[in-house]
Amino acid sequence: MPDLTRGPVLTGIVGTAAPLALANLLQQGYLLVDSAVVGRYVGVTGLAALGAAQPLYSILTSLFTGVSGAFTVRLGHLAGAGRRDDPSALLALAACTAVWSALCAAVAVLAAAPLLALTGVTGEVAAEARTFVVTLCSGMVAVYALGAVCAVLTGRGDVRRATALMIAASVLNAVFAWLFVGPWRLGMAGAALAVVASNALTAVVGLTRLVREQRRPRPAGAAAVTAAAVRAEVRRGLRIGAPMAVQYLLIGVGVLVLVWIITPFGEEALAALTVVARLELLTSVLFLNLSGALMVFTAQNTGAGRAARVREGVRHSVWLGVALTAVVSLLLLVGRGPIAALFSGSPETRLVTERYILITAPFFLCYTLTVVLHGWFNGIARTVVPLICTVASLGVVRLPLSYALGHAWGVDGIMWATVIGWVVGLGYTLLATRHAVAAPRAGPDGEAGPVARPDGRAVR
């Protein structure tokens, strides 16, 4: 498997980020296909239902997303320290996956309707959204299993296999979505079943390969696998992952609140929110995966005690993020008309989508730099910093301003609240970076150890 503690720094980061970005672009492409299929066969009501269901789905999956990300960091530390084949962390991740899958299904069945009611969505839109959420979460174990496999592979640096699995799932998603919603006329349930079926098939393939690899003889002198060791890894994973999970949870709740704020503006505005949310996911893929690659790179090199490589990795990642942001922002601005027309034939929905791009794209750099720097913080297990950033930018600034400016200026006010939230998030992240480089930090296993600083020195 690739070793990110050796070789050219930029090549290692880009070699990790590029395959993951390709896979995630295809995943976002599936979401766009899903939106197009639902919009064509179910109509505006189905598209609005997807928009209403998305934040609830995000809430139900946020805790596992944080925990799986934590195990990616933990496995990166182990790989950098020469303990790549230690099975304790794998068993701990498997236990967390099983428990949260069961809880997620139970919450979806029992609480989907009340949670959707909190957004103000009613009638047929609410009914379709509940159908989508309950059907999807009933098979969530398949989605989580694939996520766990990809977390293991990514933490170890084997992004090509993780990419292959995600690409396979995305292609199957698109095919099944068209088949189930189109010819088979299963509606919103069919869209959810497409996700479950495609993830189940690819998860089985990935798990089979991992189990086969773990049956190989372990190195002489390797520590025995005990229940105590697995429990210790669960505690480590939860300690690193709890702030990440809460961060993702707040994002999900925040989007749910945004749905509540936008709902009074009408079904067309809610449909436009669905399109905008998908566009945000699509345009963020490059930067989220650059951040993820920097996280894995930082984790492995922190485990190996290579502070200087982490510094160089942060510098290269920031400049690469700036260049990519310029390209993406320009493409969005130039092509905003055709992009909006791709998703909806409604003039009102298209107008809102174009307006959103025009207002937010010039400030996209604030968001992307924040995301990239969060990769460094996560890689050194300082996951509280991204959490506080989310609380400040989303909870303290964006949501209250969206409500206030929305009432004052309409939908445009909600868009400007997004921009102000990005600016505040970047400001806090830069301040946290200055503070972090001056503070001592324990190593990945809790003992004193070096932490790489973006300014070039190691802190002990």
Side-chain angles (χ1 to χ4, degrees), residues 1-5 16 71-80 83-91 148-162 206 209-216 218 296-297 299-300:
M1 294 183 184
D3 183 357
L4 296 178
T5 63
T16 301
F71 277 99
T72 297
V73 173
R74 177 60 184 158
L75 289 164
H77 290 162
L78 293 173
R83 297 165 55 193
R84 187 184 299 268
D85 296 323
D86 190 332
S88 298
L90 300 182
L91 294 173
V149 171
C150 291
V152 172
L153 296 174
T154 303
R156 291 176 170 181
D158 193 1
V159 294
R160 291 187 178 181
R161 281 172 55 193
R209 179 74 178 272
L210 277 181
V211 170
R212 187 182 301 124
E213 290 176 351
Q214 288 303 128
R215 290 177 177 174
R216 296 172 183 171
R218 299 186 64 202
V296 176
F297 178 88
Q300 288 197 13

Side-chain angles (χ1 to χ4, degrees), residues 311-338:
R311 171 206 54 194
E312 189 177 354
V314 172
R315 187 175 68 249
H316 284 309
S317 298
V318 166
W319 282 113
L320 182 58
V322 170
L324 290 173
T325 301
V327 174
V328 171
S329 299
L330 181 61
L331 290 175
L332 285 173
L333 288 169
V334 172
R336 62 185 183 276

Side-chain angles (χ1 to χ4, degrees), residues 331-357:
L331 290 175
L332 285 173
L333 288 169
V334 172
R336 62 185 183 276
I339 290 172
L342 179 65
F343 293 98
S344 177
S346 167
E348 293 83 0
T349 300
R350 291 169 59 179
L351 180 62
V352 172
T353 303
E354 289 186 48
R355 186 70 178 160
Y356 176 85
I357 295 174

Side-chain angles (χ1 to χ4, degrees), residues 1-20:
M1 294 183 184
D3 183 357
L4 296 178
T5 63
R6 291 176 169 79
V9 171
L10 184 59
T11 300
I13 293 175
V14 173
T16 301
L20 293 177

Side-chain angles (χ1 to χ4, degrees), residues 364-389:
F364 195 41
L365 182 63
C366 296
Y367 168 79
T368 58
L369 286 182
T370 301
V371 167
V372 171
L373 287 173
H374 285 179
W376 172 65
F377 280 109
N378 288 333
I380 60 175
R382 290 190 173 184
T383 52
V384 172
V385 171
L387 169 61
I388 296 176
C389 178

